[in-house]
């Protein structure tokens, strides 16, 4: 959406209105759309119900996993969509069950309240509704659901780290950790804090999956409040049509420069083959690798989220954010959001060099030491999603997709300022077309702004299961990025 204004209207009046870039309709900022039922039947508004249903009915393993590890005891919409990848689903459900239900530093109700606080940073009513229900079932105090004003100071103290992890994790320092663990009646022990950080990062990332996969509200009235409030500044009535034929011209173009008989899919496969040959021909210098990373982070400034596709930073639109009161009660500073890691005019970026603090060599052992066994479960989940492949791309079989999976994972980390010395970031530009970059940035950084039109705009020849695989990669890359920043700060506090 763009800010709108008419010829004779005053600047103050003009800022109260927006124009939908799709249908050009003038919209009022303070308006809400009340949707009483999911926009489509089935677990996802983006994926045909029959495709998800086929996966669920044909796989007894999914039903077993739900019985074994689901905290709600039901096949919820997230699980149904994830069941398109049963191998991953098992790792996901096992780790989530452990952090919510098994022995750990935090009381059960606190775990669900922290999940609510995390989901609220992205206005994810689906997860909030789910954990409000779980919070009460595990003995939570109902008054806390009136908002942060009613919770103990210890939980309120998580606000700052919740906000930074969700939107700008590179700002977290050892001072934030020291403030939480300092002596006093409201202090956090390190095991408690690590448990809280794992929950916060898990639910920030899961909100990305919920919005990126178009997860519908649960129909069960015990779980869902039965309606959604949608801010018209990032969601117009024209989106309710879910019309696959509506496409924004700037979404559909690609940057490959390959025309003629080659389709989008064949162009991508040709690019992968060419990059593989270039890899085998010779090494790129370390200096060139660094330059390409910095170029990619700066170019991400011009990948603008949502339905707005113009060449300026997204911060210009931050004042357009509208938070519903039901969600805002669980957070402070609702206007605080993602800000591009590489801002204009900043030449020397405070890059997080992945080799200096890795999950495998540093984060994993710290988490496992302070919160027993969760490190193993998270590590299994990260490895599973990164290596998951069926060696297919749309209609093609026997394809090595390693290069593509790594580009997706590393592009997310790039937007959070994490650089891998051994990775050529030129591959990101070659493999990820603009419409896919817009989708990745939105799902990762502003998930609440994701629309079906954006989901439909990229990889149009690929299967829905492959796009769900993309969302799993984005979710885990985001969680790992947040975790690395938090765990590095805790390590610095300890040394």
């Amino acid at each position: 959406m763009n800010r709108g204004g008419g010829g004779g209207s005053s600047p103050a009046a003009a800022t109260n209105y927006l124009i939908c870039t799709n249908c050009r309709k003038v919209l009022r900022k303070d308006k809400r759309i009340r949707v009483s039922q999911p926009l489509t039947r089935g677990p996802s508004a983006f994926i045909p119900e029959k495709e998800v249903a086929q996966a669920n009915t044909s796989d007894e393993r999914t039903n077993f996993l739900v019985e074994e590890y689901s905290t709600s005891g039901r096949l919820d919409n997230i699980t149904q969509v994830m069941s398109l990848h049963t191998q991953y689903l098992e790792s996901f459900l096992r780790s989530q069950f452990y952090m919510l239900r098994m022995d750990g530093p935090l009381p059960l109700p606190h775990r669900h309240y922290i999940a609510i606080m995390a989901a609220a940073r992205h206005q994810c009513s689906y997860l909030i509704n789910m954990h409000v229900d779980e919070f009460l079932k595990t003995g939570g105090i109902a008054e806390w659901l009136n908002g942060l004003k009613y919770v103990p100071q210890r939980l309120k103290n998580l606000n700052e780290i919740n906000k930074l992890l969700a939107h700008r994790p590179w700002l977290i320092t050892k001072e934030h950790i020291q403030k939480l663990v300092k002596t006093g009646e409201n202090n956090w022990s390190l095991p408690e804090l690590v448990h809280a950080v794992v929950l916060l990062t898990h639910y920030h990332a899961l909100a990305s999956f919920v919005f990126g996969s178009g997860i519908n509200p649960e129909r069960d009235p015990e779980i869902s409040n039965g309606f959604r409030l949608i801010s018209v500044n990032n969601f117009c009535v024209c989106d309710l049509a879910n019309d696959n034929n509506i496409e924004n011209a700037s979404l559909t173009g690609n940057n490959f420069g390959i025309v003629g008989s080659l389709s989008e899919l064949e162009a991508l496969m040709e690019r992968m083959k060419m990059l593989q040959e270039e890899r085998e021909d010779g090494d790129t210098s370390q200096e060139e690798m660094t330059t390409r990373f910095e170029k990619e982070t700066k170019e991400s400034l011009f990948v603008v989220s949502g339905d707005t596709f113009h060449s300026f930073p997204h911060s210009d639109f931050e004042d357009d954010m509208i938070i519903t009161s039901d969600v805002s009660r669980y957070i402070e500073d609702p206007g605080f959001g993602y800000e591009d890691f590489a801002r204009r005019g900043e030449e020397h970026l405070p890059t997080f060099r992945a080799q200096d603090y890795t999950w495998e060599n540093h984060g994993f052992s710290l988490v496992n030491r302070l919160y027993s066994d969760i490190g193993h479960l998270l590590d299994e989940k990260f490895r599973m999603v990164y290596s998951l492949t069926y060696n297919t791309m749309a209609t093609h079989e026997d394809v090595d997709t390693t290069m593509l999976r790594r580009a997706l994972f590393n592009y997310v980390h790039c937007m959070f300022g994490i650089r891998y010395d051994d990775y050529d970031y030129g591959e990101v530009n070659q493999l990820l077309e603009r419409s896919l970059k817009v989708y990745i940035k939105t799902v990762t950084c502003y998930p609440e702004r994701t629309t079906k039109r954006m989901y439909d705009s990229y990889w149009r020849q690929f299967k829905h299961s492959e796009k769900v695989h993309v969302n799993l990669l984005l979710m885990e890359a985001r969680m790992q990025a947040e975790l690395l920043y938090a765990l590095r700060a805790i390590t610095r506090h300890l040394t």
Side-chain angles (χ1 to χ4, degrees):
M1 303 298 169
N2 294 334
R3 287 192 184 87
S9 60
S10 69
T15 57
N16 293 323
Y17 294 89
L18 301 158
I19 297 175
C20 174
T21 52
N22 179 51
C23 68
R24 311 306 299 170
K25 189 172 185 175
V26 177
L27 306 164
R28 244 192 22 251
K29 273 189 185 180
D30 59 352
K31 195 175 175 184
R32 295 284 186 278
I33 302 170
R34 191 178 175 97
V35 182
S36 61
Q37 289 296 332
L39 305 181
T40 62
R41 295 182 60 202
S44 167
F46 297 172
I47 305 169
E49 184 179 15
K50 63 175 188 275
E51 289 200 31
V52 180
Q54 284 168 358
N56 292 327
T57 53
S58 63
D59 197 342
E60 293 179 7
R61 183 74 181 155
T62 300
N63 295 325
F64 168 77
L65 291 173
V66 169
E67 289 174 17
E68 194 76 9
Y69 297 116
S70 172
T71 55
S72 64
R74 59 175 290 160
L75 185 63
D76 60 47
N77 289 345
I78 290 177
T79 307
Q80 287 188 64
V81 173
M82 281 189 188
S83 69
L84 291 166
H85 302 281
T86 316
Q87 278 180 289
Y88 170 82
L89 177 64
E90 180 166 4
S91 295
F92 174 85
L93 288 177
R94 283 180 65 210
S95 62
Q96 182 173 260
F97 186 80
Y98 188 88
M99 65 182 80
L100 290 175
R101 284 290 188 270
M102 301 296 283
D103 288 344
L106 294 174
L108 296 187
H110 284 60
R111 303 180 193 192
H112 292 289
Y113 201 86
I114 290 168
I116 292 168
M117 290 172 68
R121 286 305 324 176
H122 288 303
Q123 309 166 52
C124 187
S125 58
Y126 177 93
L127 290 175
I128 291 171
N129 290 331
M130 178 177 283
H131 288 281
V132 161
D133 187 67
E134 295 285 310
F135 171 77
L136 294 172
K137 281 182 180 175
T138 53
I141 299 168
E143 187 184 24
W144 291 11
L145 298 177
N146 290 326
L148 290 176
K149 295 176 185 173
Y150 300 86
V151 304
Q153 188 61 42
R154 285 180 81 246
L155 277 173
K156 279 187 203 168
N157 290 347
L158 284 179
N159 264 309
E160 186 70 8
I161 200 168
N162 180 27
K163 176 179 83 172
L164 294 178
L165 278 172
H167 306 296
R168 302 175 210 170
W170 55 88
L171 296 180
I172 291 175
T173 64
K174 68 178 182 180
E175 284 73 29
H176 291 109
I177 307 303
Q178 287 164 353
K179 193 174 176 184
L180 288 165
V181 300
K182 68 181 180 182
T183 54
E185 59 178 326
N186 297 317
N187 73 302
W188 289 75
S189 70
L190 277 174
E192 286 174 330
L193 182 56
V194 167
H195 193 172
V197 162
V198 168
L199 286 164
L200 289 171
T201 57
H202 175 80
Y203 283 101
H204 294 155
L206 189 55
S208 284
F209 182 83
V210 168
F211 287 113
S213 303
I215 301 295
N216 273 327
E218 299 291 337
R219 288 179 176 271
D220 187 334
E222 291 183 7
I223 300 283
S224 174
N225 60 9
F227 66 89
R228 286 183 292 169
L229 284 171
I230 299 171
S231 306
V232 295
N233 66 307
N234 55 27
F235 204 107
C236 178
V237 178
C238 69
D239 282 311
L240 298 178
N242 286 326
D243 187 350
N244 291 330
N245 297 318
I246 299 173
E247 290 178 350
N248 189 306
S250 54
L251 271 174
T252 56
N254 65 48
N255 59 356
F256 300 143
I258 298 173
V259 293
S261 61
L262 285 179
S263 70
E264 179 185 49
L265 172 62
E266 272 68 42
L268 176 57
M269 293 190 68
E270 190 65 31
R271 215 63 171 161
M272 289 169 67
K273 182 182 174 185
M274 189 181 75
L275 286 169
Q276 190 59 48
E277 289 169 356
E278 286 177 3
R279 273 186 189 177
E280 292 164 2
D281 286 344
D283 294 328
T284 308
S285 71
Q286 194 58 55
E287 186 180 357
E288 178 61 21
M289 296 273 230
T290 303
T291 301
R292 289 180 184 179
F293 169 79
E294 291 177 355
K295 181 173 181 280
E296 191 56 52
T297 57
K298 286 174 181 175
E299 283 187 1
S300 74
L301 275 168
F302 304 103
V303 177
V304 183
S305 169
D307 281 332
T308 317
F309 300 87
H310 300 284
S311 297
F312 38 80
H314 197 90
S315 57
D316 290 354
F317 293 89
E318 283 176 4
D319 61 342
D320 288 345
M321 287 299 295
I322 301 173
I323 312 286
T324 63
S325 59
D326 282 352
V327 172
S328 63
R329 72 179 76 172
Y330 299 118
I331 56 173
E332 289 178 356
D333 196 2
F336 188 91
Y338 175 82
E339 190 173 84
D340 286 283
F341 176 77
R343 293 186 294 282
R344 280 183 175 181
E346 295 185 11
E347 292 303 319
H348 303 289
L349 308 174
T351 305
F352 186 126
R353 292 181 69 251
Q355 281 69 15
D356 295 341
Y357 195 93
T358 67
W359 165 255
E360 293 79 8
N361 298 331
H362 305 92
F364 169 78
S365 56
L366 178 64
V367 167
N368 245 22
R369 179 157 59 89
L370 293 171
Y371 180 17
S372 178
D373 289 335
I374 192 65
H376 290 292
L377 291 165
L378 293 177
D379 189 59
E380 179 192 331
K381 185 161 62 84
F382 292 147
R383 289 176 187 274
M384 171 61 70
V385 79
Y386 198 78
S387 61
L388 183 66
T389 183
Y390 306 94
N391 297 114
T392 60
M393 277 177 62
T395 55
H396 294 260
E397 297 183 353
D398 299 318
V399 183
D400 183 355
T401 60
T402 306
M403 183 184 293
L404 193 53
R405 282 178 277 127
R406 191 174 185 193
L408 289 163
F409 199 92
N410 286 2
Y411 185 55
V412 172
H413 280 199
C414 175
M415 286 187 294
F416 285 104
I418 299 174
R419 174 167 69 89
Y420 293 85
D421 288 347
D422 61 347
Y423 184 67
D424 179 359
Y425 286 86
E427 292 187 6
V428 167
N429 257 344
Q430 302 280 4
L431 297 173
L432 309 183
E433 57 173 313
R434 179 171 174 76
S435 60
L436 176 53
K437 280 186 172 183
V438 169
Y439 177 79
I440 292 170
K441 184 169 184 177
T442 307
V443 168
T444 306
C445 306
Y446 320 93
E448 61 276 15
R449 302 181 183 190
T450 311
T451 65
K452 185 176 188 295
R453 193 162 61 250
M454 294 168 58
Y455 173 89
D456 289 335
S457 72
Y458 82 95
W459 286 7
R460 284 161 294 180
Q461 292 174 295
F462 284 67
K463 298 176 215 146
H464 286 289
S465 62
E466 290 171 312
K467 291 193 171 190
V468 170
H469 189 180
V470 169
N471 287 338
L472 296 177
L473 276 163
L474 303 185
M475 172 173 72
E476 295 299 350
R478 178 183 177 179
M479 182 180 183
Q480 191 180 99
E482 289 188 28
L483 267 179
L484 285 171
Y485 278 109
L487 296 174
R488 184 180 67 169
I490 291 172
T491 298
R492 288 175 174 174
H493 161 72
L494 290 169
T495 53

